[in-house]
Amino acid sequence: MNKMAHLIVIGAGPAGLSAAATAAEQGLPVTVLDEFTEPGGRMPGQYHEEGSKGWWVGKHVSDELITRCSELGVDIRCGVSVHGMEYTTTWEISTSCGLFTADYVLLATGAAEIPVPLDGWTLPGVMSIGAAQVMTNVHYVKPGERGIIVGMNVLSMTIARELSVAGVKVAAITLPCTNPLAGAAADPTASAKLLLQLSGLAPAAWMRAGGKLAAAMRMEGLIARCYPHRGFRLWDIPVRLRTAVLSVNGQDRVESVTLVHVKPDGSPIPGSERVEPADFVALSGGLYPLAELAAVAGCKFVYSPELGGHVPLHGERMETSLKGLYVAGNITGIESGLVAMAQGRLAAASMVHAAGLGGAKGEQRVQEAIREVDFTRKHALIQFHPGITEARTQLYQQWEQTCGSGV
């Protein structure tokens, strides 16, 4: 199967579908490739409160984008795995369904979960927090009757809220026990800092105000030292910052977990072990950019902890170091779905303008899209890492110093 298209979008998530619809509206033919059986990415399983705006329901947003793409003639092909990319006079995309070629390519491959190894994690009933989300919100199957979430970060807290709303019993959110692979995930101080970034999602006004104040005063160290071992309840879920999972127990499946109290530095307190019944355990180590295809293509990379790890070097217009190759969404750094959608629209505006289809207003549309991304990021309630704005400014400066100047 050989398919000529002006634009190929790899990834049918929020960034990819938003880019496809925007590009198609401006007359750029678009083909979307995705390895999953249905478009939408992780959106169908996501929902959260957006302050006074009410609930953001990913399934509704996904359906609207898919319908819009269909109306505009976007060719969405699911079940297609991309395993190679090479630029000659055009981009050649090697897939499980043959070779595709295009003048422009957008990588919107999203992110992947970071595993959290611990004793007993191979037992049936142990899963990633994302798997628990998909089971509950997409397939409407409870992951279990009583579960423990291991890892305190933006991902675990937002999905814990989703599970609670869906009627799934979460007995506690805890830390992993200190081990060589756990890193900062087992550190109460680092986890407290991440929790303060989520204060805007707290159910009570006093929690939101107190969280913002504590974050501004950098009180995460004090919080870790003074935090009670019994924790506190958030959405009726015990959040235990000073408790870690020592092991997952069971014969043929998860039956319980062994918990241990920890010191402010994350080290276990001898003699504080106890067994908690559970039939599922959800592990949450956060997310990292899924950027292997960018590496295969030959992109330059930079490392940024604030953006989630190694990301393709790209400019403010979402262009990479390679001609005709653009990026959008979590491959550029871990942020919310709303930011990914805005980035997708920006990348589309940039490619349409580069292709000469934007007319006299092409540059104006690009600048408006840049401002939209900045506004969306500034007002996003969900912030995966502190310092995202500063990290992106440094990234764009580095791109200008290298690719922007033609070096």
Side-chain angles (χ1 to χ4, degrees), residues 275-322:
V275 175
E276 180 89 14
D279 62 357
F280 79 93
V281 174
L283 306 178
S284 181
L287 298 170
Y288 69 91
L290 198 58
E292 288 84 351
L293 278 179
V296 169
C299 281
K300 297 180 184 296
F301 272 76
V302 296
Y303 178 73
S304 174
E306 295 84 0
L307 299 179
H310 289 90
V311 299
L313 179 62
H314 61 280
E316 194 172 29
R317 296 168 180 251
M318 314 311 295
E319 68 272 60
T320 69
S321 57
L322 301 177

Side-chain angles (χ1 to χ4, degrees), residues 176-246:
C177 203
T178 302
N179 65 63
L181 298 177
D187 183 354
T189 301
S191 297
K193 187 174 182 178
L194 286 175
L195 289 178
L196 292 177
Q197 302 299 316
L198 278 174
S199 58
L201 295 177
W206 68 269
M207 289 183 177
R208 295 192 292 271
K212 290 179 181 179
L213 178 62
M217 297 179 65
R218 299 182 179 180
M219 296 176 63
E220 57 269 11
L222 177 62
I223 292 173
R225 290 193 298 272
C226 300
Y227 200 93
H229 289 297
R230 66 179 182 278
F232 73 94
R233 288 185 173 270
L234 184 63
W235 307 306
D236 203 33
I237 301 171
V239 179
R240 295 175 177 163
L241 186 66
R242 294 283 299 278
T243 300
V245 171
L246 195 60

Side-chain angles (χ1 to χ4, degrees), residues 85-93 99-102 323:
M85 295 178 59
E86 183 180 7
Y87 184 82
T88 54
T89 55
T90 60
W91 278 101
E92 296 181 353
I93 313 298
L99 185 68
F100 289 75
T101 59
K323 181 180 180 181

Side-chain angles (χ1 to χ4, degrees), residues 259-283:
L259 302 177
V260 63
H261 292 322
V262 297
K263 300 175 183 178
D265 64 357
S267 58
I269 298 176
S272 64
E273 299 87 352
R274 64 184 179 83
V275 175
E276 180 89 14
D279 62 357
F280 79 93
V281 174
L283 306 178

Side-chain angles (χ1 to χ4, degrees), residues 352-384:
V352 167
H353 184 47
L357 298 177
K361 293 187 177 180
E363 178 62 24
Q364 178 182 337
R365 292 192 183 98
V366 172
Q367 293 301 321
E368 289 173 351
I370 289 174
R371 289 192 291 272
E372 181 194 8
V373 170
D374 291 340
F375 179 86
T376 304
R377 178 174 295 122
K378 181 179 179 181
H379 293 86
L381 286 178
I382 296 179
Q383 299 282 351
F384 280 84

